[in-house]
Amino acid sequence: MIKVKNVWKIYGKGEAKTIALKNINLEIEKGEFVMIMGPSGCGKSTLLNILGLLDVPTKGAVYYKGRKTSSMSENERAVFRRKIGGFVFQQFHLIKTLTALENVELPMMLDEKDKTYRRRKAKKLLKMVGLEKRINHYPHQLSGGQQQRVAIARALANDPKIIFADEPTGNLDSKSGEVVMNILKELNEKGITIIMVTHEQELTRYASKIVKLKDGEIVEIVEK
Amino acid sequence: MKIDDIVAFAFKNISKKRTQSMLTIIGIVIGVLAMVSLISLGYGVQNYIKEEMMKIGSNKITILPMKQFGVPPSHYFTKKDVKAIENVKGVDAVMYGWYGGCEIEYNGEKKFVSYYYAKPSQLKKVYKGSGYEIDEGRWLSDNDKYACVIGYGTAHDLFNREIKIGDVIKIKDKKFRVVGILKPVGNQQDDNSVLLNIDIGEKLFGNEGKYNFITVTVKEGEDINEVANEIKKALKKSFGSDDFSVLTAEQLAETVGSVLGVITIFVVGVAGISLLVGAVGISNTMHMSILERRKDIGILKALGAKTTDILAIFVVESGFLGLFGGMIGLILGIVLAKFVESLAHKFGYLMVNAWISWELIVGVLIFSFLVGVVSGYFPARSGAKLNPIETLRGE
Ligand SMILES: Nc1ncnc2c1ncn2[C@@H]1O[C@H](COP(=O)(O)OP(=O)(O)O)[C@@H](O)[C@H]1O
Ligand SMILES: [Mg+2]
């Protein structure tokens, strides 16, 4: 479903030049649970952002279902992020001035869904992540684990095919982390492709494929 | 994103940061306040003067011995000119005389007033129904000599002790008995006045046989502009030059109106500058607010917002900030104008009026919304161009 061909990402020029990704080649099939692993600064987030069309490669190409996405216009990429991908971040990145319900509604608002549909769907999603009693809470009134579950509900709002998760358990205690991982696992069982960045070894038990990165290069791909 | 959602989203942002929003719009509030009160009072005065001029009479023509207001006349009308005007077809009554300023003495105090003299019977005829009406006592008669009628202000406001009918005032050391007091007309110059019979006035001020104004009433059914033209022709012959002006009430109102119009443009210009300062303020705060919300912009982009969605959210937000500023400024401006109006009325300046209309209200609101939109546009555009990865990294 996703094909990465000879992708490079280079920041800066001359002395300050950083090679974040070096000649990456990768294929991801529908329904996989992919984990991108490696030490801090090895390029995991950079790779995930490129896969999720939040960023563009310096060199090389990315394809989604045979379509070259790396050369799409900014607007076309926005449509992809809205309809096909859903992002979950380590820092949750909820909008602080909006309630849980409104945060989940936001991607549907961007997709011009009507109000009653949005409300219903957002409530359903929050119920699914076990937060039906917290829908009118603001982010600061929620624990980290709860915030991350809101973020997952938000990522699911427009029925994405792929979830891009950048260290979703990185800021959570192990118990909340497990809740989050179990939700992702369930989603994967329903057919949603999960691409997740982590550096926690014990989480690899959820993965169907592990991509190991070091200094911007793929050192190993493990299929399970 | 749909427009109603954009509006709702912008509203949410404004109401969540009420204090900051309030500070942002102070500039707009002050600008609009200044503009509304100045326009309101400017047009109010203009309208009042026009109305008053029309009241003075759509059948009256005023003839002055100079081409323009404010220029001292080089020569004056004489009996010959009066005769020439009296012979013009369509002319009904002709009043001629002099107006000027002088000092009057009462109860040991000396005050400056404006004086008019003309033939009392003509004065009465020409000014009938023009607001110059007797409040107390009687009108002058043609036989009166050392008698006078005084304005409302002269009687009640000018001196420590109010002047009553039968009291004596001194003009140029001559004693005059007050026989009548006029009703207030609303402007100080006319209310602080003294009216004399021409027979005595001429001698007193040493202008015998010279007149610095002539006022004519036109017979019913005559075209006033035509009569005015005929008067011009006749006067040119007898006066020997065209250094005079023949004004109908309408023209008079227009002349005064255009002078006030210039003043209005000036004050609106000043208000406009303060509004511009307000706009710079909004622009600046929008810029800060967008910097603060860099992360939100990144989140919105990650969720698939188009650049134009983000631009629209911020532009609408600053548009509404402008609109709110405009609303508050409008209300305060109207309150201020009304306050000035009531204060002025209390002191007898009936000409000061607050003019408020739907055009003014709607115009000001649209204008302040646009000021907000324009001042929010550039910071919003730079915000919309932010790279989401940059804004989401770190912490
Ligand atoms: N905008 C940027 N400018 C310069 N260097 C960057 C930028 N973004 C990331 N990098 C560098 O690229 C490398 C990979 O970063 P990242 O993908 O965030 O690593 P990871 O997620 O594996 O910790 C790091 O060395 C980082 O410093
Ligand atoms: Mg990272």
Side-chain angles (χ1 to χ4, degrees):
Chain A
M1 186 163 60
I2 296 179
K3 207 177 211 168
V4 179
K5 274 185 110 173
N6 307 326
V7 160
W8 291 70
K9 184 73 182 180
I10 301 161
Y11 289 109
K13 279 192 185 111
E15 291 282 289
K17 187 160 132 178
T18 315
I19 300 177
L21 293 175
K22 249 183 235 170
N23 199 31
I24 301 288
N25 285 284
L26 182 66
E27 274 192 49
I28 294 166
E29 293 307 325
K30 187 174 181 300
E32 282 188 308
F33 197 131
V34 181
M35 278 196 191
I36 301 168
M37 311 244 339
S40 184
C42 70
K44 304 183 295 293
S45 297
T46 306
L47 178 57
L48 189 78
N49 290 338
I50 287 173
L51 292 172
L53 302 204
L54 205 50
D55 203 355
V56 285
T58 313
K59 269 192 286 185
V62 181
Y63 299 88
Y64 175 76
K65 289 188 171 170
R67 256 198 92 194
K68 193 173 175 184
T69 55
S70 44
S71 57
M72 280 180 174
S73 74
E74 170 55 38
N75 267 350
E76 285 175 301
R77 282 189 286 130
V79 172
F80 175 95
R81 293 196 296 266
R82 201 160 69 221
K83 291 182 181 292
I84 295 165
F87 270 92
V88 177
F89 300 94
Q90 182 178 358
Q91 307 91 335
F92 324 132
H93 287 328
L94 297 177
I95 292 193
K96 292 189 175 68
T97 52
L98 299 181
T99 63
L101 190 71
E102 288 164 341
N103 265 288
V104 179
E105 274 189 59
L106 197 51
M108 296 185 268
M109 203 150 131
L110 295 171
D111 206 35
E112 307 197 342
K113 296 284 192 333
D114 73 64
K115 221 178 195 115
T116 43
Y117 171 84
R118 264 161 30 196
R119 276 281 132 94
R120 217 176 45 231
K121 181 84 185 258
K123 279 182 184 162
K124 202 180 101 188
L125 289 168
L126 284 167
K127 191 171 179 209
M128 195 199 88
V129 297
L131 290 173
E132 65 268 40
K133 294 214 174 70
R134 301 276 191 279
I135 58 171
N136 291 321
H137 284 52
Y138 286 92
H140 68 92
Q141 298 168 317
L142 297 169
S143 73
Q146 289 168 336
Q147 287 190 51
Q148 195 61 300
R149 283 186 273 154
V150 174
I152 292 173
R154 182 179 67 182
L156 292 169
N158 289 324
D159 301 313
K161 306 277 185 289
I162 313 161
I163 296 277
F164 299 95
D166 194 343
E167 305 205 34
T169 61
N171 278 2
L172 303 179
D173 58 78
S174 59
K175 216 174 137 220
S176 315
E178 203 170 316
V179 174
V180 165
M181 286 314 295
N182 280 327
I183 293 171
L184 291 178
K185 196 178 119 195
E186 267 173 48
L187 292 172
N188 184 240
E189 280 161 5
K190 284 181 193 158
I192 296 176
T193 307
I194 312 276
I195 305 175
M196 176 179 147
V197 165
T198 186
H199 57 251
E200 291 171 71
Q201 197 60 45
E202 70 270 22
L203 295 181
T204 53
R205 63 193 154 100
Y206 294 95
S208 64
K209 181 192 255 174
I210 302 161
V211 179
K212 290 189 178 163
L213 276 186
K214 205 183 166 212
D215 295 334
E217 280 182 291
I218 296 180
V219 288
E220 193 186 3
I221 298 178
V222 184
E223 305 254 7
K224 290 212 282 192
Chain B
M1 224 169 147
K2 287 184 196 159
I3 185 72
D4 53 331
D5 287 328
I6 290 173
V7 171
F9 197 81
F11 254 85
K12 192 121 195 152
N13 277 332
I14 292 171
S15 63
K16 275 278 155 193
K17 295 200 281 186
R18 229 165 268 147
T19 333
Q20 195 191 333
S21 302
M22 279 297 156
L23 292 175
T24 308
I25 62 177
I26 279 179
I28 293 280
V29 170
I30 292 170
V32 169
L33 174 122
M35 197 161 77
V36 167
S37 51
L38 291 173
I39 290 178
S40 168
L41 290 171
Y43 275 100
V45 170
Q46 210 165 313
N47 286 349
Y48 178 86
I49 287 175
K50 277 188 189 162
E51 268 170 37
E52 282 304 296
M53 295 259 175
M54 296 320 276
K55 219 191 316 179
I56 281 173
S58 49
N59 69 333
K60 285 188 189 57
I61 299 171
T62 300
I63 304 146
L64 301 171
M66 65 280 211
K67 262 246 163 313
Q68 271 169 329
F69 280 126
V71 180
S74 54
H75 53 331
Y76 300 95
F77 299 126
T78 61
K79 206 78 186 184
K80 190 176 142 216
D81 303 315
V82 174
K83 276 265 145 46
I85 291 169
E86 275 170 344
N87 289 332
V88 170
K89 190 180 157 287
V91 169
D92 189 8
V94 180
M95 173 179 92
Y96 52 90
W98 193 276
Y99 67 92
C102 70
E103 226 172 25
I104 62 170
E105 194 182 331
Y106 173 67
N107 193 31
E109 273 183 274
K110 280 186 178 172
K111 294 284 173 182
F112 202 75
V113 297
S114 49
Y115 70 86
Y116 301 79
Y117 62 71
K119 199 171 173 195
S121 56
Q122 288 171 343
L123 199 67
K124 197 171 162 187
K125 200 168 167 189
V126 170
Y127 276 117
K128 198 168 72 185
S130 309
Y132 291 89
E133 276 165 70
I134 288 289
D135 192 32
E136 287 175 69
R138 63 168 176 87
W139 195 254
L140 288 173
S141 84
D142 287 357
N143 301 326
D144 280 324
K145 278 199 176 329
Y146 287 95
C148 65
V149 165
I150 57 175
Y152 189 88
T154 311
H156 300 291
D157 303 329
L158 216 50
F159 293 96
N160 283 332
R161 201 165 86 198
E162 290 193 16
I163 303 176
K164 287 186 209 62
I165 302 293
D167 284 349
V168 170
I169 61 171
K170 270 196 208 164
I171 308 170
K172 295 209 160 211
D173 290 328
K174 292 279 188 308
K175 287 179 182 170
F176 285 81
R177 185 162 302 278
V178 176
V179 298
I181 296 170
L182 294 172
K183 285 187 176 159
V185 288
N187 72 71
Q188 212 176 26
Q189 194 187 342
D190 286 344
D191 278 336
N192 292 353
S193 59
V194 54
L195 272 64
L196 303 174
N197 188 338
I198 190 165
D199 297 340
I200 192 79
E202 273 189 322
K203 290 193 188 92
L204 193 66
F205 292 102
N207 292 318
E208 272 167 282
K210 288 193 274 180
Y211 316 117
N212 70 357
F213 75 89
I214 299 175
T215 302
V216 167
T217 54
V218 174
K219 280 182 187 146
E220 230 170 291
E222 293 284 344
D223 180 349
I224 185 160
N225 291 320
E226 221 164 86
V227 176
N229 279 336
E230 288 305 314
I231 289 174
K232 258 181 226 170
K233 276 187 217 160
L235 203 53
K236 203 167 170 181
K237 260 189 227 154
S238 79
F239 200 50
S241 86
D242 57 2
D243 196 14
F244 60 86
S245 37
V246 176
L247 300 163
T248 61
E250 216 171 314
Q251 283 174 317
L252 219 55
E254 265 168 35
T255 313
V256 175
S258 69
V259 172
L260 279 170
V262 171
I263 296 169
T264 309
I265 287 168
F266 173 74
V267 288
V268 167
V270 172
I273 290 167
S274 55
L275 207 60
L276 194 70
V277 174
V280 173
I282 282 206
S283 187
N284 193 37
T285 330
M286 277 315 284
H287 194 78
M288 307 263 283
S289 148
I290 283 164
L291 281 182
E292 264 170 37
R293 297 210 306 255
R294 284 165 55 92
K295 214 180 99 182
D296 285 5
I297 293 172
I299 295 169
L300 283 166
K301 283 202 165 178
L303 297 178
K306 287 174 290 184
T307 307
T308 49
D309 288 333
I310 291 166
L311 186 67
I313 288 169
F314 287 114
V315 165
V316 168
E317 186 176 327
S318 66
F320 275 104
L321 282 177
L323 183 64
F324 290 147
M327 274 154 118
I328 297 170
L330 182 71
I331 292 167
L332 294 180
I334 290 173
V335 168
L336 180 66
K338 281 280 171 198
F339 175 72
V340 170
E341 179 192 76
S342 67
L343 205 67
H345 284 191
K346 203 182 256 174
F347 287 103
Y349 294 94
L350 297 179
M351 70 189 305
V352 178
N353 282 286
W355 171 83
I356 292 144
S357 73
W358 284 112
E359 292 98 305
L360 179 71
I361 291 171
V362 172
V364 162
L365 292 182
I366 291 174
F367 180 71
S368 47
F369 181 75
L370 290 180
V371 167
V373 166
V374 170
S375 49
Y377 178 76
F378 292 99
R381 202 180 58 171
S382 64
K385 280 186 188 157
L386 287 173
N387 179 351
I389 298 172
E390 302 277 313
T391 67
L392 292 177
R393 224 150 43 105
E395 277 171 74

